[in-house]
Structures are given as C-alpha cells and as structure tokens.
Amino acid sequence: PIFDKSLGKFLFNHYKILCAVSQPEIEWIKSFDIDENKIKLTPNGIPEEYLKKRNGKSFRKKYKLNRELVILSLGRLHKSKGFDQIINVANNFVGVRFIIAGEGDYRKELEDLIKEKKVNNVALTGRLSEKEKLEAYAACDVFLHPSHYEAFGIVVLEAMSQGKPVIVSDQGGLPWVAGDAGLVFKINNSEDLKEKLLGLIKDVKLRKNLGLKAYNRAKKFTWNKITENLE
C-alpha cells in the first residue's frame, strides 16, 4: 500500500497510456485519481487456432476417466491458486473426477491433503504439453478455477475456447473474464463452491447453454482482435 500510494501513483501519472487487462483493473487504476481517458482495455487473449474443436478421447483414455463427469483445473501448483479448495469438497461428489493439471512447488502439500482427506477422486497430472492441454479442456465437462487472485485468468479463457462452462472464484478479474458463460463462487466458501458445482453437475441443459456462451465469448478475445485495438 505504501508503494502504491507513493511511487506507484507517480508512475501511473508519468505515462501517457495505461493498458489494463480487465475492467476490474481499470477500476483499480482509477482509484489513484488517474484520468480515465489514459486507461485502455487491452485484455489477454488466445490464438484464433484455439477455437478449433479438439478431441478429448485420448486424454480420457489416458487417465481412465470412462463415463465419469470430469471437473478440470489447470495452472501452476501454488498456494495462491486455491487448488486445496477442490480437495476439501471432492468427497461430496460421487461419479465425478477432479483433475488438477500443472506443476509447481505446492504439489507435495496437495498430495498430503489428498491422503489426509482420504480422497480418491482427485488426480494430479503434472505438466501437460500444449496438445495435451487443449485435449484436456475438450475432455472435461466443467472447468473450475478457484484462484485467490488473478488479474485476468487466461486458463479460463482457454477452457471457454473449447466450449466449456466455467466456475471461477470471485477474485480479481475472474468474474469479468467468465462473464455470462460461467458461475462465480465466494472464495474460501466450501458450501458455495459445492452448491455451484452441484448446479452444473445436475443440469446438463445449463452446462450446454453456458458452454455455448463460453465459446462465443472466447471468440472476442483472439489476439488478432486485441492487437488491432492496441495498435
């Protein structure tokens, strides 16, 4: 806070244009009494190629997912990503598999928590290649991102490019990225997370509806459109 209000405010006023990746970030910059005309929305994006439908069969076969409903999470394994919240609620869901993809120094803590909670429906895949990542998005039924803070949350957009409904925490730019294509839960609120998960698990029509909205929203965030706006 000391840096933000001193040197941070000076730097914001020093530049002619400030690029923000989401609407919530614009509101944060405005709180420094910055001229709104200096702030431009230049969100993160995805390659247009990501919008091509992938086949998730090989990913499901590799992890023996069979006909189970799959909830995918993906990102760096770090405490800030909130993956422990998934493990804490996983035992409440029968016939559902939670896949957490990614690598990082928090893996050991997650593995210990899985043992402590005696959870048998959560799998950690480790790092995925670019091809495997897109196939994982295609293979899942719902994408869940329970992060404690994200200015944007690019993995949410990537999942949406494969037409997947998303559930995100109410932190940072995540609700803005999800838009009308997903559900938002209160961070560190297990009951709210369970309720949102249950809503999508039980309602196939809702999943399809949100998945279609997700794909259409993802089309607005391709790099060619973003760079044209930036230029």
Side-chain angles (χ1 to χ4, degrees):
I2 294 173
F3 176 89
D4 285 352
K5 296 302 180 183
S6 56
L7 187 57
K9 185 172 182 179
F10 168 78
L11 290 171
F12 275 152
N13 279 288
H14 178 72
Y15 296 108
K16 293 179 180 178
I17 294 177
L18 299 168
C19 295
V21 297
S22 66
Q23 189 60 41
E25 193 167 62
I26 288 178
E27 299 306 316
W28 175 69
I29 295 174
K30 283 165 59 178
S31 72
F32 290 85
D33 298 323
I34 304 298
D35 180 2
E36 190 173 354
N37 293 320
K38 290 174 60 173
I39 310 170
K40 305 299 179 184
L41 179 63
T42 54
N44 290 323
I46 53 172
E48 194 163 0
E49 195 250 342
Y50 272 36
L51 295 168
K52 295 177 183 176
K53 184 65 177 173
R54 263 55 179 196
N55 190 331
K57 289 182 179 179
S58 60
F59 185 86
R60 278 185 166 263
K61 183 179 180 181
K62 181 177 180 179
Y63 292 98
K64 299 179 175 63
L65 298 172
N66 303 319
R67 297 182 180 179
E68 295 168 297
L69 191 139
V70 176
I71 311 291
L72 174 70
S73 296
L74 187 149
R76 181 168 56 98
L77 300 188
H78 187 272
K79 190 173 183 178
S80 66
K81 298 299 181 181
F83 294 135
D84 55 304
Q85 297 172 92
I86 298 171
I87 298 168
N88 287 330
V89 302
N91 275 332
N92 293 278
F93 300 94
V94 178
V96 175
R97 285 269 279 174
F98 293 87
I99 303 295
I100 301 175
E103 63 181 1
D105 55 12
Y106 195 55
R107 178 164 182 150
K108 178 64 165 56
E109 284 86 344
L110 293 176
E111 289 173 337
D112 290 344
L113 186 60
I114 288 172
K115 291 177 183 176
E116 178 190 329
K117 298 285 184 179
K118 297 180 180 178
V119 174
N120 58 18
N121 62 338
V122 175
L124 305 178
T125 69
R127 184 179 180 85
L128 300 180
S129 68
E130 190 77 0
K131 180 175 181 289
E132 288 174 323
K133 179 181 72 172
L134 291 169
E135 289 176 350
Y137 290 133
C140 77
D141 297 285
V142 176
F143 184 78
L144 169 60
H145 196 55
S147 183
H148 289 280
Y149 181 74
E150 299 282 351
F152 187 85
I154 191 105
V155 291
V156 177
L157 191 58
E158 289 176 348
M160 290 163 64
S161 76
Q162 289 299 300
K164 300 302 174 178
V166 298
I167 300 177
V168 298
S169 71
D170 59 357
Q171 300 298 292
L174 291 173
W176 181 82
V177 174
D180 64 351
L183 305 179
V184 178
F185 79 95
K186 297 173 185 174
I187 195 73
N188 290 327
N189 189 323
S190 294
E191 290 304 314
D192 194 32
L193 176 56
K194 284 191 288 185
E195 182 182 321
K196 297 302 192 302
L197 280 167
L198 201 58
L200 279 182
I201 288 168
K202 286 187 172 182
D203 195 333
V204 178
K205 187 177 180 180
L206 178 61
R207 290 205 305 271
K208 288 182 177 179
N209 183 39
L210 290 179
L212 179 60
K213 288 182 177 180
Y215 183 76
N216 289 331
R217 182 160 174 76
K219 288 193 290 187
K220 299 177 182 179
F221 290 88
T222 55
W223 278 124
N224 58 333
K225 293 178 181 176
I226 293 166
T227 50
E228 283 175 10
N229 177 49
L230 180 59
E231 288 171 351

